[in-house]
Amino acid sequence: MSLLPEKPLVISPSLAATIGLEEATLLHVLSDIALFHSVEQRNGYDWVEISGEQLQQFVPFWQPRDIQRISQNLRDQGIILIGSAPFASSNSLRFAINQGRPAQRAPHSSPASTRNANFIDHRWQPEEELLRQLAQYSIPREFALEQVPEFVTYWSERGEPQRSWGSKFIKQVLRLWREQQTEQSRKNREQGMFPEWRPSQDAFEILTRQAGISANFIEDAIPEFVLYWCERGERSSTWNSRFILHIKRQWARYTAVIQNDAEPRTIPADWRPDETVFEVLALANIDRQFAERQVAEFVIYWKDTGRAESSWNTRFLQNVKRNWANRIALPTTASQTHETGKRSYSSGSTRARELIDDLSDRSWAS
């Protein structure tokens, strides 16, 4: 039986004296692997990837932790580049051989003094000097240390070498700190809705001058808007923007109802408002049951007057909105409610006006 059943490993004595015996052995093995495995061209290097099982067939006398240690030594000496996570944890090795001449071995020198661009170690931690530099930007030490796991994971997955991981870490922590401060500033500007809230003058001008919406219409919508958001209990820094959007939607629905219902006629005994009316009221946050309870009295009143209207839907919308606003602003007794209802029905009955003027009428409030 042959004492050499396998292909022997040929090691250059001068190379072993220069970079170390173990390092020269692994370099010989990796060079042979690179000759017979497919390579990937990237950044001017031929990258090879081999599984842990395959590699240990060539070096069965080493444990995974030995392969990790020796491959890192080769990387620190600038002989190979490593593009994978530590071998002992990933069980694979992605490497490229640096075709330049190996540097003279310096056992007592720091690895950082011999490397150019290196891949991040899964145990990487920022040095105290880095933390002191971040403290100069008023960044707490705890915040900086909280970013380390994500930083290491991200760059391990990217598999890109860097000349200075400390500089990269400072940039990332600064960016995250500024993002947090911006978000905190935004939250500090948020406030809850309160009963005395009113839209800003700018919001009024946008709605009246640019959108052409009646100022009286806007005023009538404020109590409903405030009540709705007070009950929701939300906080926001954009109440004016929300109010503008709310009013524009309401106005569009109101004008659509007016344009689609323009023929004067008396109210039928079995009249009911269109479903669109309830949709408009819902936009104003007015309870549907509140509106439904007013239909019968509304029909009786206008049936008795015999008056013809071009839009009973619009008249009903006016009536419900006014009664709802009165209900919010000033709770009344039963008799007062009846009187308020009569006033809202008959308001403006002695003058012929455009429907859009009726919509903006505020005589009920005086």
Side-chain angles (χ1 to χ4, degrees):
M1 180 178 178
S2 172
L3 294 176
L4 297 173
E6 301 168 326
K7 178 182 176 182
L9 294 173
V10 181
I11 308 300
S12 167
S14 60
L15 181 62
T18 303
I19 67 174
L21 179 58
E22 289 181 323
E23 287 76 6
T25 303
L26 183 58
L27 179 60
H28 172 79
V29 171
L30 296 180
S31 298
D32 281 353
I33 291 173
L35 291 175
F36 300 102
H37 279 68
S38 59
V39 300
E40 175 192 357
Q41 286 282 343
R42 183 181 177 189
N43 299 330
Y45 294 97
D46 293 333
W47 290 89
V48 180
E49 186 164 2
I50 186 170
S51 69
E53 292 79 6
Q54 290 176 305
L55 182 54
Q56 289 208 282
Q57 290 177 5
F58 292 94
V59 287
F61 43 84
W62 282 334
Q63 296 296 317
R65 63 178 179 275
D66 298 318
I67 297 174
Q68 177 177 312
R69 171 179 55 81
I70 299 166
S71 62
Q72 287 178 344
N73 289 343
L74 288 172
R75 179 200 64 188
D76 293 342
Q77 296 184 64
I79 298 171
I80 67 171
L81 301 175
I82 299 177
S84 56
F87 182 80
S89 59
S90 66
N91 197 35
S92 67
L93 181 66
R94 184 171 182 269
F95 68 93
I97 297 177
N98 190 346
Q99 298 302 320
R101 295 176 61 84
Q104 182 69 27
R105 190 183 187 196
H108 301 293
S109 63
S110 168
S113 65
T114 57
R115 70 182 70 171
N116 291 323
N118 299 301
F119 297 92
I120 196 166
D121 190 288
H122 72 288
R123 297 165 299 182
W124 185 90
Q125 288 289 324
E127 299 174 353
E128 284 299 320
E129 179 60 29
L130 290 179
L131 297 176
R132 282 194 291 269
Q133 291 181 38
L134 291 170
Q136 294 176 1
Y137 293 94
S138 300
I139 299 177
R141 178 190 182 92
E142 295 74 17
F143 179 87
L145 292 176
E146 286 173 0
Q147 314 312 315
V148 173
E150 182 179 355
F151 177 79
V152 172
T153 301
Y154 174 81
W155 286 108
S156 295
E157 293 176 351
R158 288 287 296 269
E160 296 180 3
Q162 298 290 333
R163 291 182 178 275
S164 172
W165 288 114
S167 175
K168 208 75 176 174
F169 182 70
I170 287 177
K171 291 179 181 178
Q172 178 162 322
V173 173
L174 277 172
R175 176 179 59 81
L176 293 173
W177 177 253
R178 287 165 181 162
E179 289 177 357
Q180 185 192 72
Q181 294 299 99
T182 300
E183 177 66 14
Q184 187 62 44
S185 176
R186 183 190 66 80
K187 289 182 178 179
N188 291 340
R189 292 195 303 269
E190 290 182 350
Q191 62 177 349
M193 179 57 69
F194 52 94
E196 297 80 16
W197 183 89
R198 285 186 57 81
S200 68
Q201 187 61 35
D202 289 339
F204 254 102
E205 291 182 359
I206 289 172
L207 291 170
T208 55
R209 296 184 182 181
Q210 298 181 18
I213 299 175
S214 164
N216 292 338
F217 181 90
I218 298 170
E219 287 283 355
D220 291 344
I222 294 175
E224 303 148 10
F225 181 83
V226 170
L227 178 65
Y228 176 80
W229 287 109
C230 280
E231 291 177 348
R232 291 288 295 271
E234 291 188 15
R235 297 177 63 85
S236 175
S237 58
T238 58
W239 288 123
N240 283 298
S241 298
R242 291 191 181 191
F243 183 73
I244 289 172
L245 184 62
H246 171 72
I247 293 300
K248 285 183 175 180
R249 285 200 303 259
Q250 274 198 330
W251 184 255
R253 301 303 294 270
Y254 270 105
T255 52
V257 169
I258 293 172
Q259 292 169 358
N260 295 331
D261 190 9
E263 182 180 352
R265 60 187 180 277
T266 58
I267 193 167
D270 59 349
W271 181 88
R272 279 192 54 79
D274 293 340
E275 191 61 31
T276 306
V277 173
F278 294 108
E279 292 176 6
V280 172
L281 293 172
L283 286 174
N285 303 313
I286 296 177
D287 182 62
R288 179 176 181 130
Q289 292 182 353
F290 177 83
E292 290 275 11
R293 289 196 297 267
Q294 299 184 57
V295 173
E297 185 179 356
F298 179 84
V299 171
I300 292 172
Y301 178 85
W302 288 108
K303 188 71 176 173
D304 289 346
T305 64
R307 177 176 172 178
E309 286 282 347
S310 59
S311 174
W312 289 113
N313 283 319
T314 303
R315 177 63 68 181
F316 184 73
L317 280 170
Q318 288 177 287
N319 179 73
V320 173
K321 275 183 63 68
R322 290 167 181 168
N323 289 341
W324 180 262
N326 287 339
R327 168 183 173 273
I328 294 173
L330 198 65
T332 59
T333 64
S335 61
Q336 288 173 325
T337 302
H338 180 69
E339 291 300 322
T340 302
K342 283 189 174 182
R343 185 165 62 254
S344 63
Y345 295 146
S346 59
S347 172
S349 61
T350 59
R351 291 184 294 169
R353 295 177 296 180
E354 292 293 331
L355 289 175
I356 198 66
D357 293 332
D358 281 342
L359 208 58
S360 304
D361 174 38
R362 295 181 59 79
S363 59
W364 57 270
S366 59

